[in-house]
């Protein structure tokens, strides 16, 4: 029996489910009933594989980092999702979901975005497929992430600044759900991570599982065995991590190390360490671990990395943490910046700040001598240059 994948009710242990308003019941059940059938169809598989290859640039390389291997006296490979079109793993999901939307006869796409990376990946595939696209983004984020807003607009999307709440990702998600409630028939909502009501966490994990499918083939070729001793990834909502571990979930020989954003420290009040601090609750359609106050109000997350500051976590990861299948460490801003500068100086790769959290997690565990590690570099650092420049003097 598979213990770590979604069950037939849409749950991972006690986490997951589909907590949705009545008006969305029909479109969520339609998606639940259609997604596996579509994903298993020849037409979908051909289109998805071809676009991943020729448009995204897959397979992404599995690169043996000499410097990290020497430093940790292990064998450390980087899975280079940073080399994908649009600079991160997010495009794997948006390509897959727009193909599913087309198959279901949907004619309009909506999405939420925090830092704008998922918004850009969604606007990109909407331009490719000539579908109208509306992206909800908190007003605070619109101001902070001007370049991504301009990119989305250049790609033809409408960006709607959201002024409710703290005007960040959580509020943008609420607004996207509200839009979906008003247009349930013609609109598909492309959720950007392994969050939301069932089937989204499973759907997104399956679309991102191309990462672990490739790791298997690449390791078999390079190492003569198709599994590593340990997989390492950062978790915001959890999609790049889910894709990295998907094919290995039931193989207990493979250890899983997840890095969440500690911000200024787990106990500082300025953090996004959801798994360390979270308690069970329901947000945006699923039951999961949430950072919340005593009386259940969601607390605003903080991380230097915009892609990791979500107050919840994908239900699959809440379950992996609860069962002990995954080890979860919290990485602070400072530790992530240090790791980002080290990779840049020693390998000539400027990583995304999110990915730098995964790199810094290596400091927090003891690797066995010669251990075979695959760490997913979820994205490139171009979007984080301003932040890096601001801290140049401290870390150079
Ligand atoms: C969005 C993003 C993340 C976090 O999202 P997950 O769903 O947890 O993968 C991580 N890395 C990069 C580069 C991102 O853009």
């Amino acid at each position: 029996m598979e213990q770590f994948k979604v069950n037939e009710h849409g749950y991972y242990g006690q986490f997951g489910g589909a907590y949705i308003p009545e008006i969305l019941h029909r479109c969520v059940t339609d998606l639940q009933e259609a997604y596996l059938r579509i994903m298993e169809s020849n037409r979908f598989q051909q289109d998805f594989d071809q676009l991943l290859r020729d448009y995204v640039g897959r397979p992404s390389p599995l690169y043996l980092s000499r410097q990290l291997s020497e430093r940790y006296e292990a064998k450390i490979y980087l899975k280079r999702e940073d080399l994908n079109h649009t600079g991160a793993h997010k495009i794997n999901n948006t390509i897959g979901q727009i193909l599913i939307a087309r198959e279901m006869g949907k004619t309009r796409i909506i999405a939420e975005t925090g830092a704008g990376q998922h918004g850009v990946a969604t606007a990109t595939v909407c331009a490719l497929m000539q579908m109208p696209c509306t992206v909800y983004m908190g007003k605070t984020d619109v101001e902070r992430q001007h370049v991504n807003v301009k990119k989305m607009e250049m790609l033809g999307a409408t960006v709607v600044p959201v002024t409710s709440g703290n005007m960040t990702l959580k509020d943008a998600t609420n607004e996207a759900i509200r839009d979906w409630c008003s247009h349930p028939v013609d609109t598909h909502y492309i959720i950007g991570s392994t969050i939301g009501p069932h089937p989204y966490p499973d759907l997104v994990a399956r679309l991102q599982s191309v990462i672990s499918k490739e790791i298997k083939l690449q390791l078999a070729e390079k190492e003569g065995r198709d599994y590593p001793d340990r997989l390492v990834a950062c978790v915001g909502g959890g999609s790049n991590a889910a894709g990295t571990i998907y094919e290995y979930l039931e193989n207990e020989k493979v250890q899983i190390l997840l890095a969440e954003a500690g911000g200024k420290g787990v106990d500082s009040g300025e953090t996004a360490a959801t798994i360390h601090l979270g308690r069970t609750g329901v947000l945006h359609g699923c039951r999961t671990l949430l950072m919340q106050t005593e009386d259940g109000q969601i607390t605003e997350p903080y991380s230097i990395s915009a892609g990791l500051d979500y107050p919840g976590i994908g239900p699959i990861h809440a379950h992996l943490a609860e069962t002990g299948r995954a080890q979860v460490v919290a990485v602070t801003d400072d530790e992530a910046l240090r790791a980002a500068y080290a990779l840049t100086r020693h390998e000539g790769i400027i990583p995304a700040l999110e990915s730098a959290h995964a790199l810094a997690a290596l400091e927090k565990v003891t690797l066995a001598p010669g251990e075979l590690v695959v760490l997913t570099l979820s994205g490139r650092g171009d979007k984080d240059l301003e932040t890096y420049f601001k801290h140049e003097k401290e870390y150079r």
Side-chain angles (χ1 to χ4, degrees):
M1 224 246 349
E2 296 193 326
Q3 309 172 52
F4 300 112
K5 290 183 182 157
V6 78
N7 70 20
E8 70 268 33
H9 307 294
Y11 280 86
Y12 303 84
Q14 61 153 316
F15 303 109
Y19 298 81
I20 45 166
E22 189 58 35
I23 189 153
L24 290 181
H25 187 76
R26 178 73 195 279
C27 42
V28 170
T29 36
D30 282 353
L31 188 61
Q32 285 170 359
E33 281 158 14
Y35 81 110
L36 290 177
R37 179 177 48 75
I38 294 174
M39 288 178 74
E40 280 157 16
S41 71
N42 284 338
R43 185 169 128 119
F44 175 87
Q45 285 182 9
Q46 275 174 15
D47 289 351
F48 189 49
D49 290 351
Q50 188 231 328
L51 285 170
L52 288 182
R53 187 181 66 234
D54 300 338
Y55 188 74
V56 175
R58 304 200 71 93
S60 65
L62 187 69
Y63 169 68
L64 178 63
S65 167
R66 294 258 311 265
Q67 183 272 332
L68 288 173
S69 299
E70 271 166 31
R71 176 152 148 217
Y72 293 104
E73 295 174 358
K75 204 159 189 186
I76 302 183
Y77 283 95
L78 301 177
K79 181 61 173 160
R80 299 288 309 275
E81 295 300 299
D82 60 313
L83 295 178
N84 292 340
H85 180 44
T86 69
H89 64 292
K90 289 202 169 71
I91 191 93
N92 304 327
N93 171 47
T94 57
I95 294 252
Q97 283 203 48
I98 204 162
L99 290 173
I100 291 170
R102 190 184 66 180
E103 218 45 51
M104 293 181 73
K106 305 287 178 178
T107 53
R108 172 175 178 266
I109 298 294
I110 58 171
E112 84 296 337
T113 197
Q117 294 304 108
H118 173 57
V120 169
T122 303
T124 299
V125 298
C126 287
L128 176 69
M129 297 292 174
Q130 294 292 293
M131 279 208 214
C133 175
T134 301
V135 178
Y136 290 91
M137 189 170 185
K139 186 163 168 283
T140 311
D141 291 330
V142 168
E143 284 157 12
R144 288 198 286 214
Q145 307 288 340
H146 187 66
V147 172
N148 276 341
V149 174
K150 286 289 175 202
K151 261 194 206 170
M152 288 183 263
E153 288 174 351
M154 185 171 171
L155 287 158
T158 305
V159 179
V160 181
V162 174
T163 54
S164 55
N166 286 303
M167 309 190 213
T168 57
L169 177 60
K170 169 173 61 69
D171 314 293
T173 307
N174 289 336
E175 214 51 47
I177 293 171
R178 214 161 285 151
D179 177 313
W180 206 22
C181 290
S182 325
H183 307 92
V185 178
D186 66 342
T187 297
H188 177 71
Y189 176 16
I190 299 190
I191 292 184
S193 191
T194 42
I195 53 173
H198 177 63
Y200 280 101
D202 185 49
L203 167 59
V204 176
R206 283 172 188 265
L207 293 172
Q208 292 291 0
S209 72
V210 64
I211 298 173
S212 49
K213 292 198 177 87
E214 289 175 4
I215 293 173
K216 266 189 141 169
L217 294 174
Q218 289 166 323
L219 277 182
E221 192 188 306
K222 289 176 198 290
E223 294 290 332
R225 73 178 225 210
D226 68 358
Y227 63 95
D229 297 312
R230 197 187 304 253
L231 291 163
V232 188
C234 64
V235 279
S239 69
N240 86 88
T244 301
I245 64 182
Y246 193 82
E247 294 291 321
Y248 297 109
L249 279 169
E250 312 296 333
N251 181 351
E252 305 258 0
K253 281 186 291 217
V254 181
Q255 291 175 268
I256 298 171
L257 175 60
L258 304 176
E260 62 176 1
K264 296 189 176 159
V266 171
D267 301 318
S268 68
E270 292 182 79
T271 182
T274 316
I275 298 175
H276 280 85
L277 297 175
R279 285 180 298 118
T280 305
V282 171
L283 180 68
H284 299 145
C286 78
R287 187 178 150 89
T288 188
L289 294 173
L290 299 170
M291 296 205 311
Q292 50 188 311
T293 60
E294 283 299 316
D295 53 358
Q297 292 299 311
I298 301 301
T299 40
E300 188 70 7
Y302 162 81
S303 163
I304 194 169
S305 148
L308 300 183
D309 65 356
Y310 183 67
I313 178 74
I316 183 172
H317 300 295
H319 181 56
L320 293 172
E322 190 179 70
T323 55
R325 177 69 184 93
Q327 180 186 4
V328 185
V329 295
V331 169
T332 65
D333 293 357
D334 175 61
E335 291 162 338
L337 283 166
R338 211 172 286 288
Y341 267 87
L343 192 76
T344 303
R345 282 309 173 93
H346 296 126
E347 286 287 0
I349 299 171
I350 304 179
L353 266 166
E354 293 84 358
S355 320
H357 285 70
L359 291 164
L362 292 173
E363 292 283 339
K364 300 190 176 260
V365 294
T366 310
L367 302 181
E371 191 176 313
L372 186 55
V373 177
V374 174
L375 183 150
T376 293
L377 211 60
S378 54
R380 65 179 83 130
D382 301 29
K383 67 186 179 58
D384 299 313
L385 290 179
E386 286 304 325
T387 310
Y388 288 144
F389 297 163
K390 208 158 80 192
H391 294 278
E392 196 171 27
K393 291 209 175 59
E394 297 150 66
Y395 297 98
R396 201 167 45 187

